[in-house]
Amino acid sequence: MKSLEGQFLVAMPDMDDERFAESVILLVGHGEEGAMGLVVNHELANLRFADIIDELDLGEADNLIKVPDAIRDRAVMRGGPVEKGRGFVLHSSDYESGNTYPVAGGVSLTATLDVLKAVAFGPKPTSSLFALGCCGWSPGQLEDELANNGWLTVPFSRALLFETPVEDRYEAALASLNDNINRATLSPDAGHA
């Protein structure tokens, strides 16, 4: 199977696994060794970016106070059920460190503290999304789930990732395939010829 890295996985409406119900996942890696992605449309309740920078003690108290409210109040995504305590930042490629991995369409992934400091204090990437945890698939597992009609694949869209409100990303991802597609029009039955 061709690599799906940089594409979105969209859970079918009848997804049995509640951890992934109505999820939109950006695949940041996909190959013979398996796949990795981040859920980009489920916020962690009662957790904001300010909580993360405060807990990690990323700067002096005087500097933390200067972080703009728009950044302090930014939501933290529930990136997936694997490595729930590890942070991942999807960001525009105008920020780069030695630990940055390009994903797709001018978007990169960094999972080290330097990107959190950059988001908080600068020089910050133009766009960013912070997630705790990730999704992982062993070799062949994602391909099996796709063959069993568990997921739809949607081409990468920077607008879906950074500009669409979080609560609208699931329906927007479905609609990006065809204006007439939504959760009510999808059949749970696989269409194998």
Side-chain angles (χ1 to χ4, degrees):
M1 171 180 242
K2 183 181 171 193
S3 176
L4 298 174
E5 181 175 309
Q7 294 189 41
F8 291 104
L9 290 179
V10 181
M12 289 293 286
D14 65 335
M15 173 68 72
D16 288 335
D17 190 334
E18 65 185 36
R19 298 172 302 169
F20 299 110
E22 296 188 359
S23 288
V24 177
I25 298 171
L26 179 62
L27 283 176
V28 297
H30 180 226
E32 291 179 8
E33 67 284 347
M36 178 188 161
L38 298 172
V39 175
V40 298
N41 71 317
H42 293 302
E43 295 181 13
L44 286 167
N46 303 317
L47 189 63
R48 293 291 177 240
F49 187 69
D51 301 321
I52 301 299
I53 58 176
D54 289 344
E55 185 173 318
L56 293 175
D57 195 26
L58 291 181
E60 299 296 322
D62 290 344
N63 288 337
L64 292 174
I65 293 169
K66 296 175 189 174
V67 175
D69 288 344
I71 292 173
R72 293 183 64 77
D73 295 337
R74 200 175 280 177
V76 175
M77 296 294 119
R78 180 179 44 84
V82 179
E83 297 187 61
K84 292 182 196 179
R86 186 169 179 201
F88 300 88
V89 180
L90 289 168
H91 56 84
S92 50
S93 56
D94 55 351
Y95 172 83
E96 187 174 332
S97 77
N99 301 304
T100 298
Y101 178 78
V103 177
V107 171
S108 298
L109 172 73
T110 305
T112 54
L113 291 178
D114 55 335
V115 71
L116 296 179
K117 289 178 183 176
V119 169
F121 308 112
K124 59 182 118 281
T126 304
S127 304
S128 62
L129 177 147
F130 180 71
L132 281 176
C134 65
C135 305
W137 292 265
S138 60
Q141 182 182 4
L142 178 58
E143 291 79 2
D144 289 345
E145 291 178 14
L146 287 162
N148 289 319
N149 209 30
W151 302 97
L152 293 169
T153 57
V154 173
F156 177 77
S157 163
R158 186 182 176 96
L160 179 64
L161 182 62
F162 292 128
E163 298 167 22
T164 303
V166 172
E167 64 275 7
D168 297 335
R169 289 181 185 162
Y170 183 75
E171 290 293 344
L174 292 176
S176 72
L177 293 171
N178 179 318
D179 287 337
N180 298 319
I181 294 179
N182 60 48
R183 70 185 85 223
T185 61
L186 289 171
S187 168
D189 299 320
H192 301 289

